Amino acid sequence: MSHPYLCPNCKTNKTRFNIIEQKPKAVKMDPNTGEITEEYNMDHLDPIHLPYNGPEQKVQCGVCGLIEDEQSFIKRAEYAQNKESL
């Protein structure tokens, strides 16, 4: 279901946003070089490697550039709508 957005930073943008799809990639890196030494399947991780549990997408304000979870933009829009209706 779609929701209206309002940027929680600039508080003016209601129409221009970038939706950023997050696709986690589980890897093991060499601590000295930073090279990826192993890639893991998200279904079969190392016992000490926690799976990614963050949001599937983030939102960037197309005016001020703020990047936050989608809920921040939705909640700010709800707050503004409630404030206008009082």
Side-chain angles (χ1 to χ4, degrees):
M1 182 175 174
S2 41
H3 299 278
Y5 288 170
L6 175 59
C7 178
N9 186 51
C10 65
K11 298 174 184 72
T12 57
N13 179 28
K14 296 180 180 181
T15 59
R16 302 190 187 286
F17 302 96
N18 296 312
I19 306 296
I20 304 164
E21 299 291 328
Q22 300 203 129
K23 297 182 179 160
K25 181 173 155 182
V27 298
K28 183 175 182 180
M29 298 174 70
D30 182 288
N32 297 316
T33 65
E35 288 185 44
I36 295 174
T37 59
E38 194 171 348
E39 288 189 36
Y40 298 107
N41 180 327
M42 293 304 280
D43 298 327
H44 304 297
L45 294 175
D46 237 44
I48 60 171
H49 195 119
L50 293 174
Y52 177 75
N53 63 358
E56 291 182 20
Q57 64 184 24
K58 292 251 187 185
V59 177
Q60 181 181 31
C61 176
V63 175
C64 73
L66 175 74
I67 300 174
E68 287 287 337
D69 289 346
E70 181 182 37
Q71 277 303 109
S72 298
F73 289 86
I74 292 171
K75 291 296 182 189
R76 184 64 188 166
E78 288 173 357
Y79 175 77
Q81 285 176 344
N82 290 338
K83 194 173 177 183
E84 288 174 4
S85 65
L86 293 178

Coordinates of all heavy atoms in Angstrom, one line a residue:
M1 N 0.8 -1.2 0.0 CA 0.0 0.0 0.0 C 0.9 1.2 0.0 O 1.9 1.3 0.7 CB -0.9 0.0 1.2 CG -1.8 1.1 1.3 SD -2.9 0.9 2.8 CE -3.8 2.4 2.7
S2 N 0.5 2.2 -0.8 CA 1.3 3.4 -0.8 C 0.9 4.4 0.2 O -0.2 4.5 0.6 CB 1.3 4.1 -2.2 OG 0.0 4.0 -2.8
H3 N 1.9 5.2 0.6 CA 1.7 6.2 1.7 C 2.3 7.5 1.2 O 3.3 7.5 0.5 CB 2.4 5.8 3.0 CG 1.9 4.6 3.6 ND1 0.8 4.5 4.3 CD2 2.4 3.3 3.5 CE1 0.6 3.2 4.7 NE2 1.6 2.5 4.2
P4 N 1.7 8.7 1.6 CA 2.4 9.9 1.3 C 3.6 10.1 2.1 O 3.8 9.6 3.2 CB 1.3 11.0 1.7 CG 0.3 10.3 2.5 CD 0.4 8.8 2.3
Y5 N 4.6 10.8 1.5 CA 5.9 11.0 2.2 C 6.0 12.5 2.4 O 5.4 13.3 1.7 CB 7.1 10.7 1.3 CG 7.4 9.2 1.0 CD1 8.3 8.9 0.1 CD2 6.8 8.2 1.8 CE1 8.6 7.5 -0.2 CE2 7.1 6.9 1.5 CZ 8.0 6.5 0.6 OH 8.3 5.2 0.3
L6 N 6.8 12.9 3.4 CA 7.2 14.2 3.7 C 8.6 14.2 4.3 O 8.8 13.4 5.2 CB 6.2 15.0 4.6 CG 6.7 16.4 5.1 CD1 6.8 17.3 3.9 CD2 5.7 17.0 6.1
C7 N 9.5 14.9 3.7 CA 10.9 14.8 4.2 C 11.0 15.3 5.7 O 10.6 16.4 5.9 CB 11.8 15.6 3.3 SG 13.5 15.6 3.9
P8 N 11.5 14.5 6.6 CA 11.6 14.9 8.0 C 12.7 16.0 8.2 O 12.8 16.6 9.2 CB 11.9 13.6 8.7 CG 12.5 12.7 7.7 CD 11.9 13.1 6.4
N9 N 13.6 16.2 7.2 CA 14.6 17.2 7.3 C 14.2 18.5 6.8 O 14.2 19.5 7.6 CB 15.9 16.7 6.6 CG 17.1 17.6 6.8 OD1 17.4 17.9 8.0 ND2 17.7 18.0 5.8
C10 N 13.9 18.6 5.5 CA 13.6 19.9 4.9 C 12.1 20.3 5.2 O 11.8 21.5 5.1 CB 14.0 20.0 3.5 SG 13.1 18.9 2.4
K11 N 11.3 19.3 5.5 CA 9.9 19.5 5.8 C 9.0 20.2 4.7 O 8.0 20.7 5.0 CB 9.7 20.2 7.1 CG 10.3 19.5 8.3 CD 10.3 20.3 9.6 CE 11.0 19.6 10.7 NZ 12.4 19.5 10.6
T12 N 9.5 20.3 3.5 CA 8.8 20.9 2.4 C 8.5 19.9 1.3 O 7.5 20.0 0.6 CB 9.5 22.1 1.9 OG1 10.8 21.7 1.4 CG2 9.6 23.2 2.9
N13 N 9.4 19.0 1.0 CA 9.3 18.1 -0.1 C 8.3 17.0 0.1 O 8.4 16.2 1.1 CB 10.7 17.5 -0.4 CG 10.6 16.5 -1.6 OD1 9.8 16.6 -2.5 ND2 11.5 15.5 -1.6
K14 N 7.3 17.0 -0.7 CA 6.3 15.9 -0.7 C 6.2 15.1 -2.0 O 5.4 14.2 -2.1 CB 4.9 16.6 -0.4 CG 4.7 17.3 0.9 CD 3.4 17.9 1.0 CE 3.2 18.6 2.3 NZ 1.8 19.2 2.4
T15 N 7.0 15.4 -2.9 CA 6.9 14.8 -4.3 C 8.1 14.2 -4.9 O 8.0 13.3 -5.7 CB 6.3 15.9 -5.3 OG1 7.3 17.0 -5.3 CG2 5.0 16.4 -4.8
R16 N 9.3 14.6 -4.5 CA 10.5 14.1 -5.2 C 11.4 13.3 -4.3 O 12.0 13.8 -3.3 CB 11.3 15.3 -5.7 CG 10.5 16.2 -6.7 CD 11.3 17.2 -7.4 NE 10.5 18.1 -8.2 CZ 9.9 17.8 -9.3 NH1 10.0 16.6 -9.8 NH2 9.2 18.7 -9.9
F17 N 11.5 12.0 -4.6 CA 12.2 11.1 -3.8 C 12.9 10.0 -4.6 O 12.5 9.7 -5.7 CB 11.2 10.3 -2.8 CG 10.5 11.3 -1.9 CD1 9.2 11.7 -2.2 CD2 11.1 11.7 -0.7 CE1 8.5 12.6 -1.4 CE2 10.4 12.6 0.1 CZ 9.1 13.0 -0.3
N18 N 14.0 9.5 -4.1 CA 14.7 8.3 -4.7 C 14.4 7.1 -3.8 O 14.7 7.2 -2.5 CB 16.2 8.6 -4.8 CG 16.5 9.7 -5.7 OD1 16.0 9.8 -6.8 ND2 17.3 10.7 -5.2
I19 N 13.9 6.0 -4.3 CA 13.7 4.8 -3.6 C 15.0 3.9 -3.8 O 15.3 3.6 -4.9 CB 12.5 4.0 -4.1 CG1 11.2 4.9 -4.0 CG2 12.3 2.8 -3.2 CD1 10.8 5.4 -2.7
I20 N 15.6 3.6 -2.7 CA 16.9 2.8 -2.8 C 16.6 1.4 -2.4 O 16.3 1.1 -1.2 CB 18.0 3.5 -1.9 CG1 18.2 4.9 -2.3 CG2 19.3 2.7 -2.0 CD1 18.9 5.7 -1.3
E21 N 16.8 0.5 -3.3 CA 16.6 -1.0 -3.0 C 17.9 -1.5 -2.4 O 19.0 -1.3 -2.9 CB 16.3 -1.8 -4.3 CG 15.0 -1.4 -5.0 CD 13.7 -1.7 -4.2 OE1 13.8 -2.7 -3.5 OE2 12.8 -0.9 -4.3
Q22 N 17.8 -2.2 -1.3 CA 18.9 -2.7 -0.6 C 19.0 -4.2 -0.8 O 18.1 -4.9 -0.5 CB 18.8 -2.4 0.9 CG 18.8 -0.9 1.2 CD 19.3 -0.6 2.6 OE1 20.1 0.3 2.7 NE2 18.8 -1.2 3.6
K23 N 20.1 -4.6 -1.3 CA 20.4 -6.0 -1.6 C 21.6 -6.4 -0.9 O 22.7 -6.3 -1.4 CB 20.5 -6.3 -3.1 CG 19.2 -5.9 -3.8 CD 19.2 -6.2 -5.3 CE 17.8 -5.8 -5.8 NZ 17.7 -5.6 -7.1
P24 N 21.5 -7.0 0.3 CA 22.7 -7.3 1.1 C 23.5 -8.5 0.4 O 22.9 -9.4 -0.2 CB 22.1 -7.7 2.4 CG 20.7 -8.1 2.2 CD 20.3 -7.3 1.0
K25 N 24.8 -8.5 0.6 CA 25.7 -9.5 0.1 C 26.6 -9.9 1.2 O 27.4 -9.1 1.7 CB 26.4 -8.9 -1.1 CG 27.4 -9.8 -1.7 CD 27.9 -9.1 -3.0 CE 29.3 -9.7 -3.4 NZ 29.8 -8.9 -4.5
A26 N 26.4 -11.1 1.7 CA 27.2 -11.6 2.9 C 28.6 -12.0 2.4 O 28.7 -12.8 1.5 CB 26.6 -12.7 3.6
V27 N 29.7 -11.4 2.9 CA 31.0 -11.7 2.5 C 32.0 -11.8 3.7 O 31.7 -11.3 4.8 CB 31.6 -10.5 1.6 CG1 30.8 -10.4 0.3 CG2 31.7 -9.2 2.3
K28 N 33.1 -12.4 3.4 CA 34.2 -12.5 4.4 C 35.4 -11.8 3.7 O 35.7 -12.0 2.5 CB 34.6 -13.9 4.7 CG 35.7 -14.0 5.7 CD 35.9 -15.5 6.1 CE 37.0 -15.6 7.2 NZ 37.2 -17.0 7.5
M29 N 36.0 -10.8 4.5 CA 37.1 -10.0 3.9 C 38.4 -10.3 4.5 O 38.5 -10.6 5.7 CB 36.7 -8.5 4.0 CG 35.5 -8.1 3.3 SD 35.0 -6.4 3.6 CE 36.2 -5.5 2.7
D30 N 39.5 -10.1 3.8 CA 40.8 -10.2 4.3 C 41.0 -8.9 5.2 O 40.8 -7.8 4.7 CB 41.8 -10.3 3.2 CG 43.3 -10.4 3.7 OD1 43.8 -9.4 4.2 OD2 43.8 -11.5 3.6
P31 N 41.4 -9.1 6.4 CA 41.6 -7.9 7.3 C 42.7 -7.0 6.9 O 42.7 -5.8 7.3 CB 41.8 -8.5 8.7 CG 42.3 -9.9 8.4 CD 41.7 -10.3 7.1
N32 N 43.7 -7.5 6.2 CA 44.8 -6.6 5.8 C 44.6 -5.9 4.5 O 45.0 -4.8 4.3 CB 46.1 -7.5 5.7 CG 46.4 -8.1 7.1 OD1 46.4 -7.4 8.1 ND2 46.8 -9.3 7.1
T33 N 44.0 -6.6 3.5 CA 43.9 -6.0 2.2 C 42.5 -5.5 1.9 O 42.3 -4.7 1.0 CB 44.2 -7.1 1.1 OG1 43.3 -8.1 1.1 CG2 45.6 -7.6 1.3
G34 N 41.5 -6.0 2.6 CA 40.1 -5.6 2.3 C 39.5 -6.4 1.2 O 38.4 -6.1 0.8
E35 N 40.2 -7.3 0.6 CA 39.7 -8.1 -0.5 C 38.7 -9.1 0.0 O 38.8 -9.6 1.1 CB 40.8 -8.9 -1.2 CG 41.8 -8.0 -2.0 CD 42.8 -8.9 -2.8 OE1 42.4 -9.9 -3.4 OE2 44.0 -8.5 -2.8
I36 N 37.7 -9.4 -0.8 CA 36.7 -10.4 -0.5 C 37.3 -11.7 -0.7 O 37.7 -12.0 -1.8 CB 35.4 -10.2 -1.3 CG1 34.7 -8.8 -1.0 CG2 34.4 -11.3 -1.1 CD1 33.5 -8.5 -1.8
T37 N 37.3 -12.5 0.4 CA 37.9 -13.9 0.3 C 36.8 -15.0 0.2 O 37.1 -16.1 -0.3 CB 38.7 -14.2 1.5 OG1 37.9 -14.1 2.7 CG2 39.9 -13.2 1.6
E38 N 35.6 -14.6 0.6 CA 34.5 -15.6 0.5 C 33.1 -14.9 0.4 O 33.0 -13.9 1.1 CB 34.5 -16.5 1.7 CG 33.7 -17.8 1.6 CD 34.0 -18.7 2.8 OE1 34.9 -18.5 3.5 OE2 33.1 -19.6 2.9
E39 N 32.2 -15.4 -0.4 CA 30.9 -14.9 -0.4 C 30.0 -16.0 0.1 O 30.1 -17.2 -0.2 CB 30.4 -14.6 -1.9 CG 31.1 -13.3 -2.4 CD 30.5 -12.8 -3.7 OE1 29.3 -13.0 -3.9 OE2 31.3 -12.4 -4.5
Y40 N 29.0 -15.6 0.9 CA 28.1 -16.5 1.5 C 26.7 -16.5 0.9 O 26.3 -15.4 0.5 CB 27.9 -16.3 3.0 CG 29.2 -16.4 3.8 CD1 29.8 -15.3 4.3 CD2 29.7 -17.6 4.1 CE1 31.0 -15.4 5.0 CE2 30.9 -17.8 4.8 CZ 31.5 -16.6 5.3 OH 32.7 -16.7 6.0
N41 N 26.0 -17.6 0.8 CA 24.6 -17.6 0.5 C 23.8 -17.2 1.7 O 24.1 -17.6 2.8 CB 24.3 -19.1 0.1 CG 22.8 -19.2 -0.3 OD1 21.9 -18.5 0.2 ND2 22.6 -20.1 -1.3
M42 N 22.9 -16.3 1.6 CA 22.1 -15.8 2.7 C 21.4 -16.9 3.5 O 21.1 -16.8 4.6 CB 21.1 -14.7 2.3 CG 21.8 -13.5 1.8 SD 22.9 -12.7 2.9 CE 21.8 -11.9 4.0
D43 N 21.2 -18.1 2.8 CA 20.5 -19.2 3.5 C 21.5 -20.1 4.3 O 21.2 -20.8 5.2 CB 19.8 -20.1 2.5 CG 18.7 -19.3 1.8 OD1 18.1 -18.5 2.5 OD2 18.4 -19.6 0.6
H44 N 22.8 -20.0 3.9 CA 23.8 -20.8 4.5 C 25.0 -19.9 5.0 O 26.1 -19.9 4.4 CB 24.3 -21.9 3.6 CG 23.2 -22.7 3.0 ND1 22.5 -23.6 3.8 CD2 22.8 -22.9 1.8 CE1 21.6 -24.2 3.1 NE2 21.7 -23.8 1.9
L45 N 24.8 -19.2 6.1 CA 25.9 -18.3 6.6 C 26.7 -19.1 7.6 O 26.4 -20.1 8.1 CB 25.2 -17.1 7.3 CG 24.5 -16.1 6.4 CD1 23.8 -15.1 7.2 CD2 25.4 -15.5 5.4
D46 N 27.9 -18.5 7.8 CA 28.8 -19.0 8.9 C 28.0 -18.9 10.2 O 27.2 -18.1 10.4 CB 30.0 -18.0 9.0 CG 31.3 -18.7 8.8 OD1 31.4 -19.6 7.9 OD2 32.2 -18.4 9.6
P47 N 28.4 -19.8 11.2 CA 27.7 -19.7 12.5 C 27.8 -18.4 13.2 O 26.9 -18.0 13.9 CB 28.3 -20.9 13.3 CG 28.9 -21.8 12.3 CD 29.3 -20.9 11.1
I48 N 28.9 -17.7 13.0 CA 29.1 -16.4 13.6 C 28.7 -15.2 12.8 O 28.9 -14.1 13.2 CB 30.5 -16.2 14.2 CG1 31.5 -16.3 13.0 CG2 30.8 -17.3 15.2 CD1 32.9 -15.9 13.4
H49 N 28.2 -15.5 11.6 CA 27.8 -14.4 10.7 C 26.3 -14.2 10.8 O 25.5 -15.0 10.4 CB 28.2 -14.7 9.2 CG 28.2 -13.6 8.3 ND1 29.3 -13.2 7.6 CD2 27.2 -12.8 7.9 CE1 29.0 -12.2 6.9 NE2 27.7 -11.9 7.0
L50 N 25.9 -13.0 11.3 CA 24.5 -12.7 11.5 C 23.9 -12.3 10.1 O 24.5 -11.6 9.3 CB 24.2 -11.6 12.4 CG 24.6 -11.8 13.9 CD1 24.5 -10.5 14.7 CD2 23.7 -12.9 14.4
P51 N 22.6 -12.7 9.8 CA 22.0 -12.3 8.6 C 21.6 -10.9 8.7 O 21.3 -10.3 9.7 CB 20.8 -13.2 8.5 CG 20.5 -13.7 9.9 CD 21.8 -13.7 10.6
Y52 N 21.5 -10.2 7.5 CA 21.0 -8.8 7.4 C 19.6 -8.8 7.9 O 18.7 -9.6 7.4 CB 21.2 -8.3 6.0 CG 20.7 -6.9 5.8 CD1 21.4 -5.8 6.3 CD2 19.5 -6.7 5.2 CE1 20.9 -4.5 6.1 CE2 19.0 -5.4 5.0 CZ 19.7 -4.3 5.5 OH 19.3 -3.0 5.3
N53 N 19.2 -7.8 8.7 CA 17.8 -7.7 9.1 C 17.3 -6.3 9.1 O 16.4 -5.9 9.7 CB 17.6 -8.3 10.6 CG 18.4 -7.5 11.6 OD1 19.2 -6.6 11.3 ND2 18.3 -7.9 12.9
G54 N 18.0 -5.5 8.2 CA 17.5 -4.1 8.0 C 16.4 -4.0 7.0 O 15.9 -5.0 6.5
P55 N 16.0 -2.8 6.7 CA 14.9 -2.6 5.7 C 15.3 -3.0 4.3 O 16.5 -2.9 3.9 CB 14.7 -1.1 5.8 CG 16.0 -0.5 6.2 CD 16.6 -1.5 7.1
E56 N 14.3 -3.4 3.5 CA 14.5 -3.7 2.1 C 14.8 -2.5 1.3 O 15.4 -2.6 0.2 CB 13.3 -4.5 1.6 CG 13.1 -5.8 2.2 CD 11.9 -6.6 1.6 OE1 11.5 -6.3 0.5 OE2 11.5 -7.5 2.3
Q57 N 14.3 -1.4 1.7 CA 14.5 -0.1 1.0 C 14.7 1.1 1.9 O 14.2 1.1 3.0 CB 13.4 0.1 -0.1 CG 12.0 0.4 0.5 CD 11.0 0.5 -0.5 OE1 11.1 0.0 -1.6 NE2 9.9 1.2 -0.2
K58 N 15.4 2.0 1.4 CA 15.5 3.3 2.0 C 15.0 4.4 1.1 O 14.8 4.1 -0.1 CB 17.0 3.6 2.3 CG 17.7 2.7 3.3 CD 17.9 3.5 4.5 CE 18.7 2.6 5.5 NZ 18.9 3.3 6.8
V59 N 14.8 5.6 1.6 CA 14.3 6.7 0.8 C 15.2 7.8 0.9 O 15.7 8.2 2.0 CB 12.8 7.1 1.3 CG1 12.3 8.3 0.5 CG2 11.9 5.9 1.2
Q60 N 15.5 8.5 -0.2 CA 16.3 9.7 -0.2 C 15.4 10.9 -0.7 O 14.7 10.8 -1.7 CB 17.5 9.6 -1.2 CG 18.4 10.8 -1.2 CD 19.5 10.7 -2.1 OE1 19.5 10.1 -3.1 NE2 20.6 11.4 -1.8
C61 N 15.5 12.0 0.0 CA 14.8 13.2 -0.4 C 15.4 13.7 -1.6 O 16.7 13.9 -1.7 CB 14.8 14.2 0.7 SG 14.1 15.8 0.3
G62 N 14.6 14.0 -2.6 CA 15.2 14.5 -3.9 C 15.5 16.0 -3.8 O 16.0 16.6 -4.8
V63 N 15.2 16.6 -2.7 CA 15.5 18.1 -2.5 C 16.8 18.3 -1.7 O 17.7 18.9 -2.1 CB 14.3 18.8 -1.9 CG1 14.6 20.3 -1.7 CG2 13.1 18.7 -2.9
C64 N 16.8 17.7 -0.5 CA 17.9 18.0 0.4 C 18.9 16.8 0.5 O 20.0 17.0 1.0 CB 17.4 18.3 1.9 SG 16.7 16.9 2.8
G65 N 18.5 15.7 0.0 CA 19.5 14.5 0.0 C 19.4 13.6 1.2 O 20.2 12.6 1.2
L66 N 18.6 13.9 2.2 CA 18.5 13.0 3.4 C 18.2 11.6 3.0 O 17.3 11.4 2.2 CB 17.5 13.6 4.3 CG 17.2 12.7 5.6 CD1 18.4 12.9 6.6 CD2 15.9 13.1 6.2
I67 N 18.9 10.6 3.5 CA 18.6 9.2 3.3 C 18.2 8.6 4.7 O 18.9 8.7 5.7 CB 19.8 8.4 2.8 CG1 20.2 9.0 1.4 CG2 19.4 6.9 2.7 CD1 21.5 8.4 0.9
E68 N 17.0 8.1 4.7 CA 16.4 7.5 6.0 C 15.5 6.3 5.6 O 15.2 6.0 4.4 CB 15.5 8.5 6.7 CG 16.3 9.6 7.4 CD 17.0 9.2 8.6 OE1 16.6 8.1 9.2 OE2 18.0 9.8 9.0
D69 N 15.1 5.6 6.6 CA 14.1 4.5 6.5 C 12.8 5.1 6.0 O 12.5 6.3 6.3 CB 13.8 3.8 7.8 CG 15.0 2.9 8.2 OD1 15.9 2.7 7.4 OD2 15.0 2.5 9.4
E70 N 12.1 4.3 5.2 CA 10.8 4.8 4.6 C 9.9 5.3 5.7 O 9.1 6.3 5.6 CB 10.2 3.7 3.9 CG 8.8 4.0 3.2 CD 8.2 2.9 2.5 OE1 8.3 1.7 3.0 OE2 7.6 3.2 1.4
Q71 N 9.8 4.6 6.9 CA 8.9 5.0 8.0 C 9.1 6.4 8.4 O 8.2 7.1 8.8 CB 9.1 4.0 9.2 CG 8.4 2.7 9.0 CD 6.9 2.9 8.8 OE1 6.3 2.7 7.8 NE2 6.2 3.4 9.9
S72 N 10.3 6.9 8.4 CA 10.6 8.3 8.8 C 9.8 9.3 7.9 O 9.3 10.3 8.4 CB 12.1 8.6 8.7 OG 12.8 7.8 9.6
F73 N 9.8 9.0 6.6 CA 9.1 9.9 5.7 C 7.6 9.7 5.8 O 6.8 10.7 5.8 CB 9.5 9.6 4.2 CG 10.9 10.0 3.9 CD1 12.0 9.2 4.2 CD2 11.2 11.2 3.4 CE1 13.3 9.6 4.0 CE2 12.4 11.7 3.1 CZ 13.5 10.8 3.4
I74 N 7.1 8.5 6.1 CA 5.7 8.3 6.3 C 5.2 8.9 7.5 O 4.2 9.6 7.6 CB 5.4 6.8 6.3 CG1 5.7 6.2 4.9 CG2 4.0 6.5 6.7 CD1 5.6 4.6 4.9
K75 N 5.9 8.7 8.6 CA 5.5 9.3 9.9 C 5.5 10.8 9.9 O 4.6 11.5 10.5 CB 6.4 8.8 11.1 CG 6.3 7.4 11.4 CD 4.9 7.1 11.9 CE 4.7 5.6 12.3 NZ 3.4 5.2 12.6
R76 N 6.4 11.4 9.2 CA 6.5 12.9 9.1 C 5.3 13.4 8.3 O 4.7 14.4 8.7 CB 7.8 13.4 8.4 CG 7.9 14.9 8.4 CD 8.0 15.4 9.8 NE 8.0 16.9 9.7 CZ 7.8 17.7 10.7 NH1 7.6 17.2 11.9 NH2 7.7 19.0 10.5
A77 N 4.9 12.7 7.3 CA 3.7 13.1 6.5 C 2.4 12.9 7.3 O 1.5 13.8 7.3 CB 3.6 12.2 5.2
E78 N 2.3 11.8 8.1 CA 1.2 11.6 9.0 C 1.1 12.7 10.0 O 0.0 13.3 10.3 CB 1.2 10.3 9.7 CG 1.0 9.1 8.8 CD 1.3 7.8 9.5 OE1 1.7 7.7 10.6 OE2 1.0 6.7 8.8
Y79 N 2.2 13.1 10.6 CA 2.2 14.2 11.6 C 1.7 15.5 11.0 O 0.9 16.2 11.6 CB 3.6 14.3 12.2 CG 3.8 15.5 13.1 CD1 3.3 15.4 14.4 CD2 4.4 16.6 12.7 CE1 3.5 16.4 15.3 CE2 4.6 17.7 13.6 CZ 4.1 17.6 14.9 OH 4.2 18.7 15.8
A80 N 2.2 15.8 9.8 CA 1.8 17.0 9.1 C 0.3 17.0 8.8 O -0.3 18.1 9.0 CB 2.7 17.3 7.9
Q81 N -0.2 15.9 8.4 CA -1.6 15.8 8.1 C -2.5 16.0 9.3 O -3.5 16.7 9.3 CB -1.9 14.5 7.4 CG -1.5 14.4 5.9 CD -1.7 13.1 5.3 OE1 -2.0 12.1 6.0 NE2 -1.7 13.0 4.0
N82 N -2.1 15.4 10.4 CA -2.8 15.5 11.7 C -2.7 16.9 12.2 O -3.7 17.4 12.7 CB -2.2 14.5 12.7 CG -2.5 13.1 12.4 OD1 -3.5 12.8 11.7 ND2 -1.8 12.2 13.0
K83 N -1.6 17.6 12.0 CA -1.5 19.0 12.5 C -2.4 19.9 11.7 O -2.9 20.8 12.2 CB 0.0 19.4 12.3 CG 0.4 20.6 13.0 CD 1.9 20.8 13.0 CE 2.3 22.1 13.6 NZ 3.7 22.4 13.5
E84 N -2.5 19.6 10.4 CA -3.3 20.5 9.5 C -4.8 20.3 9.8 O -5.6 21.2 9.6 CB -3.1 20.1 8.0 CG -1.8 20.6 7.5 CD -1.5 20.1 6.1 OE1 -2.4 19.4 5.5 OE2 -0.4 20.3 5.5
S85 N -5.2 19.1 10.2 CA -6.6 18.8 10.5 C -7.1 19.4 11.8 O -8.3 19.4 12.1 CB -6.9 17.3 10.4 OG -6.2 16.6 11.4
L86 N -6.2 19.8 12.7 CA -6.6 20.4 14.0 C -7.1 21.8 13.8 O -7.0 22.6 13.1 CB -5.4 20.4 14.9 CG -5.0 19.0 15.4 CD1 -3.8 19.1 16.3 CD2 -6.1 18.2 16.1

